[in-house]
Amino acid sequence: MSEQIQKITVTIDGKTVEVDPGTTILNAARQIGGEVVPPAMCYYKPLKGSGGKCRTCLVEVSKGSEKDPRPMPKLVASCSTTVMDGMEVKNKSSERVVDARKGVVEFLLINHPLDCPVCDQAGECSLQDLAFEHGADTSRYEFKRREFDKIDIGEYIKLHMTRCILCYRCVYVANQLTPNREHGILKRGDAAEISTYIQNSLDNEFIGNVIDVCPVGALTDKTFRFRSRVWYTKPMDASCDCGKCGGKAVLWMIGNEIARVTARKDQYGEVEEFICNDCRFNKKDLKDWNVEGPRKISRHSVISTNHYEKVAPAHTPLLNKA
Amino acid sequence: MSRKLLLNNIHVEGIHTYDVYRKTGGYAAVEKALKSMSPDDVVEEVKKSGLRGRGGAGFPTGMKWSFIAKPEGVPRHLLCNADESEPGTFKDRYLMEKIPHLLIEGMILSSFALGCEQSYIYIRGEYMYVLRILEKAIAEAYQNGWLGKNIKGSGYNLDLSVSPGAGAYICGEETALIESLEGKRGNPRMKPPFPAIQGLWQRPTVVNNVETICAVVPIVNEGGDAYAQIGIGRSTGTKLISAGGNINKPGVYELELGVSVEEFIYGDQYCGGIKNGKKLKACVPGGSSVPILPHYLVCKTAEGNDRLMSYESLADGGFANGSMLGSGGFIIYDEDQCIVRNTWNFSRFYHHESCGQCSPCREGTGWMEKVLHRLEYGHGKMEDIDLLWDIQRKIEGNTICPLGDAAAWPVAAAIRHFREEFEWHVKEPNACTTRNYGLVKEKVFEKVNA
């Protein structure tokens, strides 16, 4: 019965990899790793149906497949296009892709407030990384940016819609992790906004995960807001006995205090295991946790700059006030 | 006078009622199909006819029908796209309003060909009064046994209902239409899977324009070969053109494909020339999303051949020197119209109608509108023209659905052909708010030596 699954080969930027049929170009690229991986702002592997919206992962297919070697006329979204046997894909080696991606970054930034100096997401923001790597130095946009009022959507979560890039990830989280449809998109076009039913809050045991999946600082943790920059905190792997979730989390420490708790994310910023609200917002005492050791952070990440140094007292007054 | 297939009985008194429609030969095609044809025969006739989708893209209908997946035990659906919202296009409304039974007859035939037992007409929210006309006609069809169980003793069952949208242009995109019909937010889906495999409720689905479905009736009546005789080349049959703008006789015209554009604009049985004896400045031949043509490219192609009303001839010259037949919204501009203002107007429409799902379209359409607004009101800069060109280039082809392309093409074509006028708006910021630029200079085409 052990039927061998026929692997298919795909070449991305000259690097060949064998993958299972039905894999998307993006996931094939992730199997190769490194430079060939297209950036993704809306695709999120654990969430079914996500992807295809941000258009940052556009790639050029220079050869359709072994059977039909014609190139695809348009750039395709690598997160939602499945590979064919013998497909050849160009990511960074294609000028069209680099140009289109630059355009997409510019589009994403024209209505983004660029308030990184006061944004809690700064340092672990996908949009920051994307703009740094693929964007232009200056913006050609000279008009008023889109603005929304900040909304409290529950006890723990703050929605700052102005920063949102409408990746729909949080909508998928609310639809797929929680029993009720909690929130969605209102209006359309560039007036579209994430919102709950009128004046409703998001209260569900797993709704805190919308903070983790948000690629920008639109959804932030109210228990951590303005307490510290992420690069002043030390991430530690920890686990706890939790009846609701797996209890595997990362504690972001300032000294011996837990500043915030998040789920563990892989190198592409995707959550490995979703955690419950209890673990995220309420267990802020070290006694609740079984600390496993320091979290490995990419050497190039801004978070690692201060990783094992003692937090200087100069950075803590805000904490004392709170 | 060109032959009419859809509108030949349009002026008969009371044609919107069942009795009059039946007396003028209505439902004969359904009788013929149910009695003497198999579903595959109908598909074969449509294939032979060479009928192409009348909604804009011009995809061969017979081929589209043959793509539909036919898994055992899974119902299939036919959806009629009556979400006609393209600026400049109003042909479907005319058909549904005047002769609703033609659409119902076409729906029965097409559903029979595809083996659908539940079909829907998705109509835009603004056409509420048309919806009532259609519902009345459907009730009449049920009463007379053309819809429902065991139609006229053939054993074929069909239910047909009309479903209104909420007036979004994007819901005319087939996958967004399906989402909207399912009761969700009208966002286009990612393709593949195509609707022919997984459409409405994940079942195989075909979406066709109102006019396409109506055209099935004469095809079944007269045979595919006879239909293919009409028209020119691969553009077969007749097409409804909704003509508007600065012409003497705006309205909906049915014409055999292949009539020359010159005859259509200046001929007495069609538009009857430009209003007040003015000169032609530009023409949008197929609804707001197709590229605009300057006066020297309207009646002649870049090679100097006569331009005809057909899919191929209007597209002659590609995007550089041609346009598209699109959905047949024919807009004529005389010398007094401002192209910058018109482009801004179109751009404003696409900004308003973008669904906001993918970033190039969501942000780019708004940006283009703002830049064009600035140019129109004399606050623009020379760089703005190149900026616009760059924005449209980065939207086109990079979006999920064709709305991005539709927003980019009019801007691209306007800059390509009317760059002088854009520059004049920058150079003369005061004059551009009080008067218009007038005609553009004719471009001299260089002969390309092969």
Side-chain angles (χ1 to χ4, degrees):
Chain A
M1 271 304 282
S2 64
E3 213 174 293
Q4 188 115 36
I5 302 167
Q6 194 73 42
K7 292 263 186 183
I8 54 178
T9 55
V10 51
T11 309
I12 304 169
D13 276 358
K15 289 179 183 163
T16 307
V17 68
E18 285 202 334
V19 295
D20 294 331
T23 313
T24 59
I25 298 173
L26 183 73
N27 282 326
R30 284 182 178 180
Q31 285 182 25
I32 301 171
E35 281 282 286
V36 302
V37 185
M41 298 296 288
C42 66
Y43 174 76
Y44 211 67
K45 208 174 181 183
L47 299 173
K48 216 179 129 221
S50 65
K53 295 180 172 54
C54 68
R55 315 310 278 181
T56 55
C57 69
L58 290 174
V59 291
E60 184 181 338
V61 177
S62 50
K63 182 182 167 192
S65 68
E66 208 57 68
K67 270 186 208 155
D68 182 8
R70 286 176 303 170
M72 292 191 188
K74 284 181 179 181
L75 302 180
V76 297
S78 60
C79 63
S80 55
T81 309
T82 49
V83 294
M84 308 289 271
D85 197 22
M87 188 185 258
E88 279 173 24
V89 180
K90 281 182 180 173
N91 179 26
K92 275 189 177 171
S93 57
S94 156
E95 266 179 42
R96 263 174 85 197
V97 171
V98 172
D99 190 45
R101 199 167 284 159
K102 211 172 186 173
V104 172
V105 175
E106 189 171 24
F107 287 136
L108 286 174
L109 288 178
I110 61 169
N111 272 317
H112 191 78
L114 293 173
D115 57 349
C116 307
V118 294
C119 176
D120 281 298
Q121 191 84 3
E124 51 176 15
C125 174
S126 308
L127 188 60
Q128 238 178 0
D129 298 347
L130 181 80
F132 183 72
E133 203 175 331
H134 303 280
D137 302 339
T138 52
S139 174
R140 294 175 293 173
Y141 190 71
E142 295 169 328
F143 302 93
K144 199 168 176 292
R145 283 161 202 261
R146 179 174 63 208
E147 268 177 35
F148 295 91
D149 290 335
K150 296 184 193 75
I151 314 170
D152 267 330
I153 46 169
E155 219 177 325
Y156 302 117
I157 306 167
K158 188 85 160 184
L159 170 62
H160 195 355
M161 192 48 222
T162 312
R163 291 175 186 153
C164 180
I165 58 161
L166 289 165
C167 68
Y168 285 58
R169 279 180 189 174
C170 58
V171 180
Y172 287 109
V173 165
N175 286 353
Q176 291 173 19
L177 290 186
T178 63
N180 297 320
R181 190 157 175 236
E182 300 273 350
H183 73 317
I185 311 275
L186 305 180
K187 303 183 190 155
R188 66 176 181 214
D190 59 7
E193 58 175 303
I194 307 274
S195 193
T196 57
Y197 295 121
I198 302 162
Q199 299 284 311
N200 267 15
S201 61
L202 291 176
D203 43 1
N204 182 285
E205 281 170 0
F206 280 85
I207 203 69
N209 289 301
V210 296
I211 299 167
D212 275 349
V213 300
C214 186
V216 292
L219 291 159
T220 45
D221 185 342
K222 271 164 97 177
T223 62
F224 181 64
R225 263 173 86 82
F226 304 130
R227 288 192 67 192
S228 171
R229 311 301 325 216
V230 285
W231 56 89
Y232 295 144
T233 59
K234 280 192 284 185
M236 305 290 265
D237 276 342
S239 59
C240 71
D241 281 334
C242 178
K244 293 176 200 151
C245 64
K248 283 183 181 160
V250 181
L251 309 180
W252 299 77
M253 315 278 293
I254 302 175
N256 281 332
E257 275 184 62
I258 300 173
R260 68 165 177 164
V261 183
T262 65
R264 294 184 190 177
K265 292 184 184 179
D266 64 10
Q267 55 170 320
Y268 302 112
E270 289 176 358
V271 167
E272 289 159 7
E273 245 179 80
F274 291 108
I275 60 169
C276 68
N277 281 7
D278 237 12
C279 293
R280 185 186 302 272
F281 300 119
N282 297 334
K283 294 183 183 171
K284 292 284 171 85
D285 196 330
L286 266 181
K287 278 181 232 154
D288 298 330
W289 294 94
N290 186 6
V291 177
E292 290 166 4
R295 174 95 185 144
K296 279 203 182 91
I297 296 284
S298 161
R299 206 157 48 81
H300 303 288
S301 165
V302 65
I303 300 170
S304 70
T305 53
N306 221 19
H307 199 167
Y308 296 111
E309 284 164 32
K310 206 178 167 218
V311 180
H315 302 312
T316 49
L318 270 175
L319 187 68
N320 295 339
K321 253 184 221 167
Chain B
M1 191 79 187
S2 150
R3 231 183 116 192
K4 286 182 179 174
L5 295 174
L6 304 180
L7 302 184
N8 42 358
N9 290 328
I10 203 92
H11 296 299
V12 177
E13 188 74 30
I15 190 74
H16 62 280
T17 60
Y18 172 77
D19 295 331
V20 177
Y21 181 74
R22 182 82 176 116
K23 256 179 233 155
T24 55
Y27 290 101
V30 178
E31 260 177 340
K32 182 181 170 190
L34 292 180
K35 247 184 219 151
S36 59
M37 291 168 92
S38 74
D40 287 343
D41 289 345
V42 181
V43 176
E44 203 48 49
E45 287 301 319
V46 173
K47 265 190 188 166
K48 265 194 244 165
S49 75
L51 174 67
R52 292 170 70 174
R54 302 294 195 226
F59 192 80
T61 308
M63 208 193 285
K64 192 175 193 173
W65 285 8
S66 60
F67 287 154
I68 191 170
K70 292 182 175 167
E72 264 319 289
V74 181
R76 301 184 282 274
H77 294 292
L78 171 71
L79 310 182
C80 172
N81 185 348
D83 192 79
E84 177 187 55
S85 346
E86 181 116 338
T89 309
F90 44 89
K91 63 188 174 65
D92 295 345
R93 186 187 76 177
Y94 189 69
L95 267 178
M96 292 186 289
E97 199 183 314
K98 297 282 179 195
I99 184 161
H101 283 283
L102 183 67
L103 175 61
I104 295 167
E105 189 177 0
M107 283 300 279
I108 301 169
L109 287 170
S110 313
S111 304
F112 174 69
L114 293 163
C116 310
E117 303 212 327
Q118 172 73 61
S119 299
Y120 298 92
I121 299 170
Y122 182 91
I123 192 163
R124 69 183 287 209
E126 285 89 340
Y127 285 179
M128 227 24 155
Y129 67 103
V130 184
L131 177 127
R132 292 198 188 99
I133 296 171
L134 277 176
E135 278 185 336
K136 210 171 158 197
I138 287 173
E140 282 177 327
Y142 266 108
Q143 274 165 20
N144 291 286
W146 295 105
L147 287 169
K149 294 258 174 289
N150 193 11
I151 297 169
K152 297 290 171 190
S154 64
Y156 173 63
N157 311 323
L158 174 68
D159 282 312
L160 177 64
S161 55
V162 195
S163 192
Y169 175 65
I170 190 63
C171 291
E173 201 275 342
E174 56 179 3
T175 52
L177 188 152
I178 290 168
E179 287 275 303
S180 174
L181 199 56
E182 286 180 2
K184 298 176 192 154
R185 185 184 159 84
N187 278 358
R189 289 179 185 169
M190 238 70 68
K191 293 182 209 172
F194 286 92
I197 315 292
Q198 284 183 357
L200 187 67
W201 299 305
Q202 304 301 312
R203 295 162 179 173
T205 305
V206 166
V207 185
N208 276 135
N209 181 257
V210 172
E211 195 192 338
T212 317
I213 287 172
C214 290
V216 177
V217 178
I219 288 172
V220 171
N221 267 332
E222 301 183 16
D225 288 326
Y227 190 86
Q229 294 297 313
I230 309 166
I232 181 165
R234 285 178 57 232
S235 305
T236 58
T238 61
K239 172 96 183 79
L240 297 189
I241 303 287
S242 41
N246 305 110
I247 44 174
N248 282 323
K249 286 158 62 189
V252 178
Y253 295 96
E254 179 170 14
L255 48 85
E256 287 181 28
L257 287 167
V259 171
S260 79
V261 176
E262 192 164 2
E263 192 194 335
F264 184 70
I265 298 174
Y266 296 103
D268 275 339
Q269 76 236 41
Y270 300 119
C271 303
I274 314 290
K275 223 170 182 177
N276 302 331
K278 298 249 162 119
K279 283 190 200 120
L280 172 73
K281 179 175 186 179
C283 167
V284 173
S288 67
S289 52
V290 306
I292 192 168
L293 291 173
H295 62 92
Y296 52 88
L297 281 172
V298 176
C299 299
K300 298 265 183 223
T301 63
E303 280 91 46
N305 302 325
D306 277 346
R307 209 183 271 282
L308 310 174
M309 297 294 282
S310 74
Y311 290 95
E312 288 80 20
S313 181
L314 280 172
D316 192 341
F319 276 0
N321 295 318
S323 185
M324 282 159 77
L325 183 59
S327 56
F330 198 84
I331 313 170
I332 290 289
Y333 301 89
D334 72 14
E335 56 194 301
D336 287 345
Q337 305 308 316
C338 174
I339 295 299
V340 179
R341 189 172 187 86
N342 173 63
T343 314
W344 168 56
N345 187 26
F346 283 171
S347 210
R348 189 172 55 168
F349 171 79
Y350 289 109
H351 174 211
H352 185 248
E353 296 293 344
S354 164
C355 78
Q357 193 180 200
C358 59
S359 31
C361 170
R362 178 183 66 230
E363 310 292 356
T365 50
W367 193 2
M368 286 200 300
E369 193 218 317
K370 285 176 188 139
V371 175
L372 280 162
H373 180 272
R374 184 159 80 179
L375 280 167
E376 164 61 18
Y377 287 98
H379 307 295
K381 294 179 285 191
M382 260 331 168
E383 303 94 86
D384 283 353
I385 303 165
D386 292 324
L387 175 67
L388 272 177
W389 183 264
D390 199 48
I391 300 172
Q392 69 80 18
R393 198 173 56 84
K394 279 170 176 161
I395 298 174
E396 194 216 327
N398 293 342
T399 52
I400 295 174
C401 78
L403 194 137
D405 302 347
W409 290 339
V411 176
I415 296 177
R416 192 183 290 124
H417 298 304
F418 299 93
R419 199 179 176 104
E420 299 165 37
E421 190 168 338
F422 280 84
E423 286 171 359
W424 178 75
H425 270 252
V426 179
K427 282 182 208 151
E428 308 271 342
N430 293 323
C432 75
T433 54
T434 51
R435 65 185 175 90
N436 284 308
Y437 181 73
L439 293 178
V440 283
K441 271 189 226 108
E442 194 157 335
K443 218 193 274 175
V444 182
F445 292 101
E446 289 166 19
K447 256 200 172 163
V448 183
N449 293 320

